[in-house]
Amino acid sequence: MHHPFTWYVLLPEGWQHLVGEHTFFALAAAFLLLLFAVRARVALQRAPEPLVPAEAISARSIAEILVQLVASQSDAIIGRQGRKYVPFFATFFFFILLSNLLGLVPGFAPPTGNLNTTLGLAIVSFIGYNVIGGREQGLNYLKHFVGPMTSLPGKSVIGKMAFIPVLLVSVVFFFILEAFSHGFRPVSLSLRLFGNMMGDHQVIEAFINLTKLVVPVAFYAMGTLVSVIQAFVFTLLSMIYVALAISHGHDDGDEAHQSHH
């Protein structure tokens, strides 16, 4: 199969052995994103009224719109307490969106079209939400992995001892279940993003090879839409994982039940 030209082939051969194509374009995306962030920040600092949105389309206005989108979605899923994690979510959204869109530019390959990149992003999300859950709840975060039964029922000592085997079985069962559930999350995140972006750009490449007029425009529009949706989906799922990590699970239900009575 013919592979289109990318700027990566211009690197010295020795460098190509050290840096893979996906790493090269991931670094390029990070560099472009850094330039965009610096330009938006400078524009914000020079604005006479920083709290008033910019009227003209600029790096600042685009950054404000996208950050507001991420913040509003975080508020809807986590609540106002999730505002401190908006930089974490916005970093995912901006980097994945730019990486996806790079694949639509001639001479560039999408870093997210490589499983190594998407798996790396998914692992960062996995580590991030577990660290956030641990920081928010301390040792109580471990209750997420052992199920609803965390203490022995019964009033007498004999009654409590009789439930020890049940408690052990429950803890082991839910720990295995939660371990598989949490372990599958980065796999699902990485495969979903990788599969969609690889498939999307292969379709665009195939139709460009067939015809150069009119038809590719429609597929470029579709590719742009897919790029935005996939960046949003990855960020949205990361928000949901954080929301689940900082929730108190069964304790919330118990507290609500007690307050009701």
Side-chain angles (χ1 to χ4, degrees):
M1 177 181 176
H2 171 69
H3 292 281
F5 165 83
T6 64
W7 298 110
Y8 174 76
V9 300
L10 298 181
L11 285 178
E13 187 174 347
W15 288 21
Q16 292 185 23
H17 289 299
L18 296 175
V19 180
E21 185 180 55
H22 66 283
T23 304
F24 173 76
F25 286 113
L27 291 173
F31 179 72
L32 292 174
L33 191 57
L34 183 61
L35 290 180
F36 172 80
V38 170
R39 185 167 181 176
R41 182 176 179 83
V42 170
L44 184 63
Q45 290 175 335
R46 292 179 178 177
E49 295 291 339
L51 297 180
V52 178
E55 296 181 0
I57 297 178
S58 61
R60 175 196 166 187
S61 62
I62 294 173
E64 287 176 341
I65 292 172
L66 294 180
V67 170
Q68 183 58 40
L69 173 66
V70 174
S72 61
Q73 196 61 45
S74 174
D75 288 348
I77 295 175
I78 304 175
R80 296 286 297 185
Q81 69 271 25
R83 279 294 178 99
K84 56 187 173 182
Y85 303 122
V86 167
F88 178 66
F89 303 134
T91 301
F92 278 129
F93 183 74
F94 276 87
F95 179 77
I96 295 173
L97 177 60
L98 182 56
S99 296
N100 293 349
L101 293 176
L102 273 183
L104 301 176
V105 180
F108 289 85
T112 45
N114 187 289
L115 187 58
N116 292 295
T117 303
T118 59
L119 183 59
L121 290 167
I123 290 174
V124 172
S125 177
F126 174 79
I127 295 174
Y129 82 73
N130 279 294
V131 170
I132 290 171
R135 288 179 59 184
E136 289 284 341
Q137 299 193 52
L139 292 177
N140 286 331
Y141 180 61
L142 297 177
K143 290 183 178 180
H144 286 259
F145 299 91
V146 295
M149 190 175 183
T150 56
S151 60
L152 293 171
K155 298 181 180 180
S156 65
V157 176
I158 296 177
K160 289 180 179 294
M161 292 181 64
F163 275 97
I164 290 179
V166 178
L167 176 63
L168 291 176
V169 170
S170 173
V171 168
V172 171
F173 172 77
F174 278 101
F175 180 80
I176 295 175
L177 186 66
E178 290 295 331
F180 273 103
S181 174
H182 284 261
F184 186 72
R185 288 176 182 178
V187 176
S188 174
L189 279 175
S190 59
L191 290 178
R192 181 185 295 104
L193 180 58
F194 161 69
N196 280 285
M197 297 318 304
M198 182 186 68
D200 174 69
H201 287 86
Q202 284 187 345
V203 168
I204 293 176
E205 179 185 334
F207 275 91
I208 288 177
N209 291 333
L210 290 175
T211 177
K212 305 295 183 182
L213 300 174
V214 182
V215 175
V217 176
F219 282 91
Y220 268 108
M222 184 185 71
T224 302
L225 180 62
V226 171
S227 296
V228 175
I229 290 175
Q230 290 307 312
F232 182 75
V233 167
F234 190 102
T235 307
L236 182 68
L237 289 173
S238 296
M239 290 179 185
I240 293 173
Y241 296 154
V242 169
L244 292 173
I246 64 178
S247 69
H248 294 278
H250 299 282
D251 292 343
D252 287 343
D254 293 341
E255 291 173 4
H257 180 74
Q258 290 174 3
S259 63
H260 177 72
H261 287 285

